[in-house]
Protein backbone atom coordinates (compact mmCIF):
# COMPACT_ATOMS: atom_id res chain seq x y z
CA UNK A 1 0.00 0.00 0.00
CA UNK A 2 1.47 3.30 -1.13
CA UNK A 3 1.70 5.83 1.64
CA UNK A 4 3.73 8.52 -0.08
CA UNK A 5 2.91 10.58 -3.17
CA UNK A 6 5.54 12.38 -5.22
CA UNK A 7 4.89 15.26 -7.61
CA UNK A 8 6.82 17.88 -9.52
CA UNK A 9 8.64 15.80 -12.07
CA UNK A 10 8.81 16.80 -15.70
CA UNK A 11 11.12 17.74 -18.52
CA UNK A 12 13.81 20.39 -18.31
CA UNK A 13 16.91 21.40 -20.24
CA UNK A 14 20.41 21.02 -18.84
CA UNK A 15 21.21 23.70 -16.32
CA UNK A 16 17.58 24.09 -15.37
CA UNK A 17 15.76 23.49 -12.10
CA UNK A 18 12.89 21.40 -10.81
CA UNK A 19 11.29 21.09 -7.42
CA UNK A 20 9.86 17.79 -6.22
CA UNK A 21 7.38 17.29 -3.40
CA UNK A 22 6.32 14.22 -1.49
CA UNK A 23 3.21 14.15 0.64
CA UNK A 24 3.10 11.56 3.38
CA UNK A 25 0.28 9.78 5.14
CA UNK A 26 -0.55 9.33 8.83
CA UNK A 27 1.67 6.24 8.75
CA UNK A 28 4.71 8.36 7.93
CA UNK A 29 3.94 11.43 9.99
CA UNK A 30 6.55 10.54 12.62
CA UNK A 31 9.22 9.20 10.32
CA UNK A 32 12.74 9.24 11.73
CA UNK A 33 14.31 9.89 8.36
CA UNK A 34 12.95 10.81 4.94
CA UNK A 35 14.86 10.45 1.73
CA UNK A 36 14.94 10.77 -2.02
CA UNK A 37 16.12 8.01 -4.31
CA UNK A 38 16.33 7.76 -8.07
CA UNK A 39 16.52 4.94 -10.54
CA UNK A 40 17.12 4.47 -14.23
CA UNK A 41 16.17 1.28 -16.05
CA UNK A 42 18.76 -1.43 -15.65
CA UNK A 43 20.48 0.20 -12.69
CA UNK A 44 20.11 -0.07 -8.94
CA UNK A 45 18.12 2.50 -7.05
CA UNK A 46 20.44 5.28 -5.87
CA UNK A 47 19.98 7.13 -2.61
CA UNK A 48 20.67 10.80 -3.24
CA UNK A 49 19.55 12.73 -0.17
CA UNK A 50 18.17 12.15 3.29
CA UNK A 51 17.04 14.30 6.20
CA UNK A 52 16.27 13.41 9.80
CA UNK A 53 13.74 14.86 12.22
CA UNK A 54 16.25 17.42 13.44
CA UNK A 55 16.78 18.73 9.94
CA UNK A 56 20.24 17.28 9.44
CA UNK A 57 20.74 16.37 5.80
CA UNK A 58 23.16 14.25 3.83
CA UNK A 59 23.74 13.99 0.10
CA UNK A 60 25.29 11.65 -2.39
CA UNK A 61 28.35 13.08 -4.10
CA UNK A 62 26.50 13.00 -7.42
CA UNK A 63 24.08 15.72 -6.28
CA UNK A 64 25.96 17.55 -3.53
CA UNK A 65 25.95 21.29 -4.08
CA UNK A 66 23.14 21.12 -6.65
CA UNK A 67 20.21 19.50 -4.81
CA UNK A 68 18.65 20.53 -1.51
CA UNK A 69 16.41 18.33 0.61
CA UNK A 70 14.02 19.86 3.11
CA UNK A 71 11.00 18.80 5.09
CA UNK A 72 7.87 20.34 6.51
CA UNK A 73 7.40 17.92 9.36
CA UNK A 74 4.24 19.60 10.61
CA UNK A 75 2.52 18.96 7.30
CA UNK A 76 4.34 15.72 6.51
CA UNK A 77 5.82 16.96 3.23
CA UNK A 78 9.28 16.31 1.85
CA UNK A 79 10.91 18.49 -0.80
CA UNK A 80 13.81 18.23 -3.20
CA UNK A 81 15.05 21.35 -4.95
CA UNK A 82 17.14 20.36 -7.94
CA UNK A 83 19.34 22.97 -9.59
CA UNK A 84 21.92 22.83 -12.37
CA UNK A 85 20.33 19.67 -13.70
CA UNK A 86 22.50 17.44 -15.87
CA UNK A 87 21.68 14.79 -18.45
CA UNK A 88 22.52 12.00 -16.03
CA UNK A 89 19.97 13.31 -13.53
CA UNK A 90 17.30 11.79 -15.78
CA UNK A 91 15.58 9.12 -13.71
CA UNK A 92 12.48 8.11 -11.82
CA UNK A 93 12.62 9.86 -8.46
CA UNK A 94 11.17 8.21 -5.36
CA UNK A 95 10.61 9.48 -1.87
CA UNK A 96 10.85 7.20 1.12
CA UNK A 97 10.30 7.24 4.85
CA UNK A 98 11.82 5.31 7.71
CA UNK A 99 9.39 4.70 10.56
CA UNK A 100 11.34 1.95 12.33
CA UNK A 101 14.55 3.88 13.09
CA UNK A 102 16.60 1.88 10.62
CA UNK A 103 18.09 4.80 8.71
CA UNK A 104 20.47 7.59 9.61
CA UNK A 105 22.06 10.61 7.99
CA UNK A 106 25.67 9.52 8.41
CA UNK A 107 25.83 8.76 4.72
CA UNK A 108 23.69 8.67 1.60
CA UNK A 109 20.40 6.80 2.11
CA UNK A 110 20.25 3.04 1.72
CA UNK A 111 17.22 1.43 0.13
CA UNK A 112 16.89 -1.35 2.70
CA UNK A 113 16.59 1.13 5.58
CA UNK A 114 13.34 2.69 4.34
CA UNK A 115 10.02 0.96 4.78
CA UNK A 116 7.59 3.32 3.05
CA UNK A 117 7.84 4.34 -0.59
CA UNK A 118 6.05 6.40 -3.16
CA UNK A 119 5.36 5.37 -6.76
CA UNK A 120 7.85 7.84 -8.20
CA UNK A 121 7.87 10.89 -10.45
CA UNK A 122 9.83 11.02 -13.70
CA UNK A 123 12.49 13.66 -14.33
CA UNK A 124 13.85 14.07 -17.85
CA UNK A 125 16.79 16.33 -18.57
CA UNK A 126 17.63 17.09 -22.18
CA UNK A 127 20.26 19.15 -23.97
Amino acid sequence: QVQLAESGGGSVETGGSLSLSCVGSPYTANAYCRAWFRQVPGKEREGIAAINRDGKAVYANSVKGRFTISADNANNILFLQMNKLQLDDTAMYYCAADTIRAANVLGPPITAEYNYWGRGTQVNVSS
Side-chain angles (χ1 to χ4, degrees):
Q1 189 172 4
V2 177
Q3 301 296 341
L4 300 170
E6 304 93 339
S7 63
S11 297
V12 65
E13 294 185 346
T14 54
S17 299
L18 279 176
S19 182
L20 305 183
S21 299
C22 172
V23 178
S25 73
Y27 294 96
T28 65
N30 294 313
Y32 294 99
C33 286
R34 306 170 194 268
W36 288 98
F37 292 76
R38 66 185 182 185
Q39 189 171 24
V40 297
K43 292 189 176 181
E44 292 188 0
R45 192 166 294 188
E46 176 191 16
I48 58 173
I51 188 168
N52 66 10
R53 283 179 175 174
D54 296 330
K56 182 178 179 181
V58 63
Y59 300 91
N61 288 334
S62 57
V63 305
K64 194 175 297 182
R66 300 187 298 121
F67 291 11
T68 302
I69 188 171
S70 61
D72 177 351
N73 292 327
N75 291 299
N76 200 4
I77 305 174
L78 183 68
F79 303 98
L80 185 68
Q81 178 63 41
M82 305 186 294
N83 298 327
K84 300 180 182 179
L85 283 161
Q86 304 168 356
L87 292 174
D88 56 7
D89 292 320
T90 294
M92 183 71 79
Y93 283 71
Y94 299 89
C95 65
D98 161 41
T99 63
I100 56 175
R101 205 189 281 270
N104 58 61
V105 289
L106 300 178
I110 299 170
T111 303
E113 294 178 345
Y114 288 81
N115 57 321
Y116 284 100
W117 292 85
R119 294 187 184 277
T121 185
Q122 180 68 36
V123 172
N124 294 314
V125 184
S126 61
S127 59

